[in-house]
Amino acid sequence: MKKLSVIALVAVGLLAASCNKKKAADSAATNSEQTVAEGKGEVLPVDAATSVVNWKAFHKGGFAPRWGTITVKSGDLNVENGQVSAGSFVIDMASIKVDPASVTEADKKPADLETHLKSADFFDVTKNPTSEFKITSVADLAEAPKEGAIEGANKTVSGNLTLSGKTVNVTFPAKVEVAEGSASVQAKFTVNRADWGIKFGTSEADPAEWGISKDIEIAVDVKAKK
């Protein structure tokens, strides 16, 4: 029985490595905090009613995914010469929602997971009620985006993402559109939550904490208009 358990553990580990390798293709590049882009040109307020951040997280190896939404509270995008050049938006961490469709186990409840995500184990919402993304640069996409990027990506966006009080610069392909009196930024990328010090369930040295993936898939849909 012990031998069988070891074999099973190795098999799961190999599967986890395979899944992590695949997911690395759409991971955002990270760096230290960068200088925020200067806000020039027309300022368009973010439309909080139509903007949203979708998230998806996994147990180790891609098993039992959970997903849901977080509300965009406020922000703005700067448009200069027909291009988004700067901007930022604030995310209301207390608004974290878990889609009930992602919780299929009879003994699990979406509300319990929401409470846990808001606790000090994860985003510590009482201490850090908001997160923020500040654009540091927007450039034309130099090459075809990697697997997993948002469809129609045409720009490379970099920005300082603050989670749980820590700021890390992330870079990812995005679909950026500008029209008369409006602009939007859409993107999908994966980050390692441990980069922001959110390490609950990431210690592979402790079997009790082995089952939760470090990866979080983030899908941003921010719309701004006059």
Side-chain angles (χ1 to χ4, degrees), residues 98-174:
V98 176
D99 190 329
S102 70
V103 183
T104 57
E105 300 89 339
D107 60 336
K108 304 291 184 182
K109 296 181 180 179
D112 292 339
L113 178 54
E114 289 173 7
T115 299
H116 195 194
L117 290 173
K118 294 176 184 178
S119 76
D121 283 344
F122 289 97
F123 298 106
D124 200 357
V125 171
T126 299
K127 185 177 179 181
N128 303 289
T130 61
S131 295
E132 191 168 15
F133 182 80
K134 297 181 178 181
I135 293 174
T136 56
S137 68
V138 180
D140 290 337
L141 196 64
E143 57 185 26
K146 296 178 181 178
E147 181 184 357
I150 193 76
E151 185 176 352
N154 58 351
K155 300 288 183 179
T156 296
V157 173
S158 294
N160 294 331
L161 177 60
T162 301
L163 292 173
S164 296
K166 183 175 180 180
T167 302
V168 176
N169 188 266
V170 295
T171 300
F172 48 84

Side-chain angles (χ1 to χ4, degrees), residues 19-34:
C19 288
N20 287 339
K21 183 176 181 182
K22 182 178 180 180
K23 288 185 67 59
D26 63 339
S27 294
T30 57
N31 205 334
S32 57
E33 184 175 357
Q34 305 292 306

Side-chain angles (χ1 to χ4, degrees), residues 23-141:
K23 288 185 67 59
D26 63 339
S27 294
T30 57
N31 205 334
S32 57
E33 184 175 357
Q34 305 292 306
T35 302
V36 174
E38 184 179 357
K40 296 181 179 180
E42 185 177 20
V43 180
L44 300 176
V46 165
D47 184 2
T50 58
S51 299
V52 68
V53 174
N54 290 277
W55 62 269
K56 191 173 186 179
F58 308 85
H59 289 78
K60 195 67 177 278
F63 297 110
R66 310 289 196 225
W67 60 84
T69 60
I70 315 176
T71 298
V72 175
K73 185 176 182 179
S74 61
D76 53 61
L77 295 177
N78 291 80
V79 175
E80 184 180 19
N81 298 323
Q83 301 289 329
V84 170
S85 58
S88 65
F89 57 89
V90 177
I91 303 166
D92 179 9
M93 298 307 294
S95 71
I96 294 175
K97 293 295 182 184
V98 176
D99 190 329
S102 70
V103 183
T104 57
E105 300 89 339
D107 60 336
K108 304 291 184 182
K109 296 181 180 179
D112 292 339
L113 178 54
E114 289 173 7
T115 299
H116 195 194
L117 290 173
K118 294 176 184 178
S119 76
D121 283 344
F122 289 97
F123 298 106
D124 200 357
V125 171
T126 299
K127 185 177 179 181
N128 303 289
T130 61
S131 295
E132 191 168 15
F133 182 80
K134 297 181 178 181
I135 293 174
T136 56
S137 68
V138 180
D140 290 337
L141 196 64

